[in-house]
Amino acid sequence: MHEIGIAEAILDAVEKRAAGRPVQHARVRAGALLRISEPAINQAFAMVSAGSPAEGARLELIIIPVRHICRTCRHVTTSDDAFASCDGCGGIDIVTEGGDELILESIQTTEADHVPGHPRRDSGDPARPS
């Protein structure tokens, strides 16, 4: 299950961005060449995030297609399939670009009781709303 390694990389990025705040949701863009599905990556993420601020968070997965360039006719297309023949000429001499990206696009956090390194809201600081 190669999704475990990918889920660990996502968790690392999520934890850095969350800065200790509990995470509810994260949106991830993943290249088609990574061959991951939303159910599989959510299962892997649930396993690796247990006990972390991201425990219980759901991942939304957006697949980034691969760009195919035919060396024979120069036709360019995109696809979720890494192995394709040219739509223009039917040739198989195809160059692929991209499709291996893994990008943490956004996270949604909830209010934490206290974020390390930041004053508490109830600290009496008049500049901070209570």
Side-chain angles (χ1 to χ4, degrees), residues 6 39 67:
I6 295 169
R67 185 170 180 234

Side-chain angles (χ1 to χ4, degrees), residues 62-81:
I62 300 166
I63 301 296
I64 303 169
V66 178
R67 185 170 180 234
H68 297 288
I69 305 164
C70 179
R71 289 185 181 175
T72 304
C73 74
R74 297 289 186 224
H75 179 75
V76 178
T77 189
T78 58
S79 173
D80 288 342
D81 188 1

Side-chain angles (χ1 to χ4, degrees), residues 11-53:
L11 177 61
D12 184 49
V14 165
E15 286 180 325
K16 285 177 184 170
R17 190 174 290 176
R21 295 170 294 188
V23 178
Q24 290 182 326
H25 178 266
R27 179 179 295 140
V28 177
R29 296 173 56 84
L33 295 180
L34 296 178
R35 297 276 187 214
I36 56 177
S37 69
E38 195 162 323
I41 197 64
N42 268 292
Q43 181 180 14
F45 191 76
M47 290 171 48
V48 301
S49 66
S52 79

